[in-house]
Every structure is written in structure tokens, then in C-alpha cells.
């Protein structure tokens, strides 16, 4: 199973990374490895763009119909058959397919995991092992490395961890996990629908303030704060090269999110200012 995963995903991704790296190295662009990671991440994001778009659009529909479903559960409490029947009718009425958001996620996960695995391996390779390890899995001779790459990116090694650099570099290294947490927070906030839109639907359904949708909204709000903190902590303990990948992935996600769904919950904060 591991060999199949390597053949289908890991090795192709490494070869694409080498294509970016060799192109940048040939043009004498500084920090070629770090910029190759950025280029590879953007390329993967573009490949996944249709899937992520479909997932986001399905999420929008589910967010809009969620308060209506909550009202149905209150109205037909205890009658599971009726709730299921009315829920399916509601899905059909609003053009919602509950499974529409699942398939894109299932397709994305192996690719994202493979990209993560590739970068974790790449940035932690010993300099004297880079050429032999990488050239074993190169498809074309023109992609082969003649010498080890420079793993430094703006003065910091992509294989180093902020937690280990703190004593030598100082508090400035905390910028890496702080930015990682910040970008993730922005994206998480954008994923939450505006309160005004939720309030309109609740008013239409004459829902009480303490319903299932309120519980879901509360959970989503807590996750909006907890998840970025977790990502920031992981960024502090993992190689900087992985933070570079994650930040590129998240920034591209913010742009895609804005294009498809607008500012979402973030819009309320911006308007206040």
C-alpha cells in the first residue's frame, strides 16, 4: 500500500517540485528551494481549485438550510420519520446534496497528505544525502540534481523548527507560528456565515434563540479560535518549510474563499472599523 501511494502521489509531487527548483536555480533566483515549495503548493491548489470550489458552494447551501432543518426538528420533535421526510423535501427545495461536500474532501485529503509528506521529507534531508536520495526517484535526467540544494530561506533553514531556534534567534522567530495562526484565523472567520444572514432565517422560522443551530454556531465559533492556536503550536514545533507550505496553502484558500463566498463572518468585523 505504501509503495502504491509513493508511486501514484509522492514521487510525482517530488518530480514537480524538482521542475520548479531546477527552473529557479537555472535562473539564479535566490532561495530556490523555498520558492519551489511555494510554487508547488500554488500548483496543487490550482489543481484542487474545482474540488474546493464545489465543496465551498455545497457548504454555502448547507449553511443556508441549517436553520430551516433546526426548525423542522423542533416542529416534529420525536417523529424521526417525519423529520427525515421533511428534511429531504427541504434539501430538494433548496437544491442541496448533503454528500456534495464530502467527495471533494475525500479526493483532496490524499493529495494534501502526500504534499505534506513530501515537504517533511525534503526539508529534513541531510545535505550529504540530498543528491542520492532525490535522484533515485527522478523520472527524467534533466531533473536530476548535480549538487545539494541550499535549504535556507531568508536566513533560516527550512528544516529547522522555531522551537529549537528560539534560543539562538530569539523571540523574532515567533513571527512564523504567529503568522501561521493569523492566516488560519482569517480563513476560519471567513468560513462562518454572517450573523445577519442567520438571524433572517431564524426570524422567518420563528425559532427560539436556544436551538440546535445556536449550538452548532457556538461550536463553530469556539473552533474558529481553537484551531488557529493549534496550527500555530504545530508551526512552532515543526520544520519551517512546512509552515511555508501551510501559509501558502492558507493564503490561496483565503483568496478562493473571498472569490466564491466573499468575506463571510470577517465582513462584520471590517465594517465595524
Amino acid at each position: 500500500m505504501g509503495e502504491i501511494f509513493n508511486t501514484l502521489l509522492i514521487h510525482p509531487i517530488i518530480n514537480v517540485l524538482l521542475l520548479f527548483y531546477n527552473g529557479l536555480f537555472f535562473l539564479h533566483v535566490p532561495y530556490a528551494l523555498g520558492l519551489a515549495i511555494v510554487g508547488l503548493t500554488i500548483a496543487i491548489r490550482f489543481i484542487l481549485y474545482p474540488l474546493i470550489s464545489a465543496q465551498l458552494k455545497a457548504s454555502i447551501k448547507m449553511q443556508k438550510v441549517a436553520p430551516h432543518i433546526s426548525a423542522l426538528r423542533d416542529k416534529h420533535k420525536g417523529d424521526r420519520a417525519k423529520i427525515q421526510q421533511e428534511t429531504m423535501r427541504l434539501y430538494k427545495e433548496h437544491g442541496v446534496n448533503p454528500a456534495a461536500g464530502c467527495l471533494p474532501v475525500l479526493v483532496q485529503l490524499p493529495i494534501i497528505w502526500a504534499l505534506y509528506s513530501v515537504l517533511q521529507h525534503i526539508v529534513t534531508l541531510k545535505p550529504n544525502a540530498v543528491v542520492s536520495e532525490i535522484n533515485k526517484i527522478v523520472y527524467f535526467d534533466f531533473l536530476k540534481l548535480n549538487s545539494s540544494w541550499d535549504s535556507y530561506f531568508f536566513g533560516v533553514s527550512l528544516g529547522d523548527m522555531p522551537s529549537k531556534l528560539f534560543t539562538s534567534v530569539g523571540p523574532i522567530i515567533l513571527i512564523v507560528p504567529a503568522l501561521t495562526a493569523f492566516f488560519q484565523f482569517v480563513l476560519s472567520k471567513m468560513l462562518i456565515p454572517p450573523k445577519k444572514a442567520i438571524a433572517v432565517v431564524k426570524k422567518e422560522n420563528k425559532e427560539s434563540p436556544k436551538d440546535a443551530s445556536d449550538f452548532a454556531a457556538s461550536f463553530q465559533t469556539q473552533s474558529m479560535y481553537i484551531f488557529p492556536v493549534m496550527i500555530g503550536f504545530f508551526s512552532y514545533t515543526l520544520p519551517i518549510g512546512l509552515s511555508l507550505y501551510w501559509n501558502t496553502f492558507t493564503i490561496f484558500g483565503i483568496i478562493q474563499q473571498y472569490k466564491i463566498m466573499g468575506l463571510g463572518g470577517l465582513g462584520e468585523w471590517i465594517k465595524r472599523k
Side-chain angles (χ1 to χ4, degrees):
M1 187 66 180
E3 191 60 37
I4 295 174
F5 187 70
N6 287 340
T7 303
L8 293 179
L9 287 173
I10 299 291
H11 294 175
I13 288 176
I14 289 177
N15 277 265
V16 175
L17 176 68
L18 286 171
L19 187 63
F20 278 104
Y21 172 77
N22 284 326
L24 292 167
F25 184 78
F26 177 77
L27 295 172
H28 302 288
V29 177
Y31 313 120
L33 180 60
L35 293 176
I37 290 174
V38 172
L40 174 65
T41 306
I42 293 174
I44 295 290
R45 259 293 189 174
F46 269 114
I47 292 170
L48 295 176
Y49 192 94
L51 292 172
I52 296 174
S53 296
Q55 179 190 345
L56 289 175
K57 289 173 182 176
S59 175
I60 293 173
K61 290 182 177 180
M62 287 299 294
Q63 287 174 358
K64 288 180 178 179
V65 82
H68 294 288
I69 293 175
S70 180
L72 282 177
R73 289 172 179 166
D74 285 343
K75 184 178 179 180
H76 304 288
K77 189 174 291 185
D79 190 346
R80 291 187 179 182
K82 187 66 175 177
I83 291 173
Q84 187 175 9
Q85 180 185 346
E86 289 297 308
T87 299
M88 296 308 296
R89 180 191 61 77
L90 198 61
Y91 283 154
K92 187 176 181 181
E93 182 182 322
H94 286 79
V96 175
N97 180 1
C102 299
L103 183 59
V105 174
L106 292 176
V107 175
Q108 290 174 56
L109 285 178
I111 298 174
I112 294 172
W113 176 250
L115 179 58
Y116 171 85
S117 301
V118 165
L119 297 179
Q120 186 178 39
H121 178 63
I122 288 295
V123 299
T124 55
L125 274 176
K126 300 289 184 183
N128 59 355
V130 169
V131 175
S132 59
E133 285 289 320
I134 297 301
N135 286 351
K136 287 191 298 186
I137 52 178
V138 168
Y139 294 153
F140 306 104
D141 287 341
F142 73 89
L143 290 177
K144 287 186 176 180
L145 297 174
N146 295 318
S147 60
S148 179
W149 48 45
D150 181 6
S151 64
Y152 277 78
F153 190 70
F154 290 98
V156 181
S157 173
L158 294 169
D160 283 336
M161 306 171 190
S163 57
K164 291 185 177 180
L165 289 173
F166 187 82
T167 53
S168 58
V169 177
I172 194 171
I173 198 65
L174 295 178
I175 291 175
V176 175
L179 282 176
T180 305
F182 172 74
F183 290 135
Q184 187 60 54
F185 175 77
V186 170
L187 181 58
S188 299
K189 182 62 178 174
M190 290 175 72
L191 286 168
I192 296 178
K195 292 179 180 178
K196 183 184 287 187
I198 297 173
V200 168
V201 177
K202 285 187 174 185
K203 189 175 181 181
E204 290 174 355
N205 289 295
K206 298 179 181 179
E207 292 181 76
S208 62
K210 295 181 179 180
D211 59 9
S213 63
D214 280 329
F215 174 79
S218 176
F219 178 78
Q220 194 173 28
T221 301
Q222 291 177 20
S223 300
M224 179 185 71
Y225 293 100
I226 295 172
F227 188 59
V229 171
M230 288 175 55
I231 293 297
F233 175 75
F234 292 148
S235 175
Y236 181 69
T237 58
L238 292 172
I240 289 173
L242 294 177
S243 296
L244 181 62
Y245 141 70
W246 189 264
N247 287 338
T248 305
F249 207 82
T250 306
I251 291 170
F252 196 98
I254 291 171
I255 296 170
Q256 186 175 10
Q257 178 79 13
Y258 176 73
K259 184 177 179 182
I260 296 171
M261 298 177 65
L263 291 172
L266 188 64
E268 297 171 343
W269 287 6
I270 293 176
K271 286 177 182 177
R272 287 177 193 169
K273 297 178 181 179

